[in-house]
Amino acid sequence: MQKLTNKEEEIMHILWKLKKAFVKEIQAEILEEQPHYNTLSTIVRNLEEKGYVAHNAFGNTHQYYPIVTIEDYRKGFMNTAIDNYFNSSYKSMVSFFAKEEKISADELREILAMIENPKEAK
């Protein structure tokens, strides 16, 4: 899975939300710094070349839809982040969030319960 730029990732989040959309519909969802239609169209075509989206043609216009799920993207993104920033250590990642006070003791206990009883966590 190829790495996405920040703008490409933003567009993918819009497509995951909308399920399928024309470029104008994607453009309408962008709240800050709306790119020009042609720029946005190029970004979407780049996503298609990278294998993240496909399209249905309606005459001269295309309706795009994601072919990579958000779950698959999340998994790849997290694995890369953990490898790059935490030396492939989930323990280092969790301790980082604990030190930054981004995760509570109760949440850690819930995670531990999920690890100890994986069938009940589903």
Side-chain angles (χ1 to χ4, degrees):
M1 199 177 296
Q2 288 187 36
K3 186 171 169 55
L4 298 181
T5 66
N6 289 340
K7 191 52 90 173
E8 288 171 338
E9 192 172 302
E10 178 185 359
I11 302 311
M12 282 306 301
H13 281 283
I14 292 169
L15 282 169
W16 286 318
K17 174 184 162 191
L18 297 178
K19 310 273 192 267
K20 56 185 176 180
F22 295 98
V23 173
K24 283 220 177 269
E25 293 170 320
I26 296 169
Q27 191 175 34
E29 292 288 318
I30 299 173
L31 303 177
E32 297 176 14
E33 296 184 43
Q34 267 197 356
H36 186 275
Y37 179 90
N38 292 340
T39 303
L40 183 56
S41 183
T42 299
I43 293 168
V44 175
R45 283 194 311 274
N46 288 342
L47 286 167
E48 189 168 26
E49 287 176 21
K50 288 182 175 183
Y52 282 86
V53 302
H55 73 269
N56 292 317
F58 295 94
N60 290 335
T61 188
H62 296 111
Q63 185 180 49
Y64 295 92
Y65 56 91
I67 55 176
V68 171
T69 66
I70 192 168
E71 293 80 12
D72 287 341
Y73 183 75
R74 180 185 302 134
K75 190 181 299 181
F77 178 86
M78 289 305 298
N79 287 336
T80 300
I82 291 165
D83 290 346
N84 291 340
Y85 297 105
F86 301 102
N87 297 320
S88 302
S89 168
Y90 288 87
K91 178 182 173 186
S92 293
M93 181 198 66
V94 173
S95 66
F96 167 80
F97 288 114
K99 288 175 190 169
E100 293 290 315
E101 298 180 1
K102 301 293 184 188
I103 191 166
S104 69
D106 286 340
E107 289 169 323
L108 286 171
R109 281 189 275 281
E110 286 178 37
I111 293 168
L112 186 57
M114 284 186 242
I115 293 168
E116 291 173 342
N117 303 303
K119 290 182 182 177
E120 293 177 23
K122 291 181 181 179

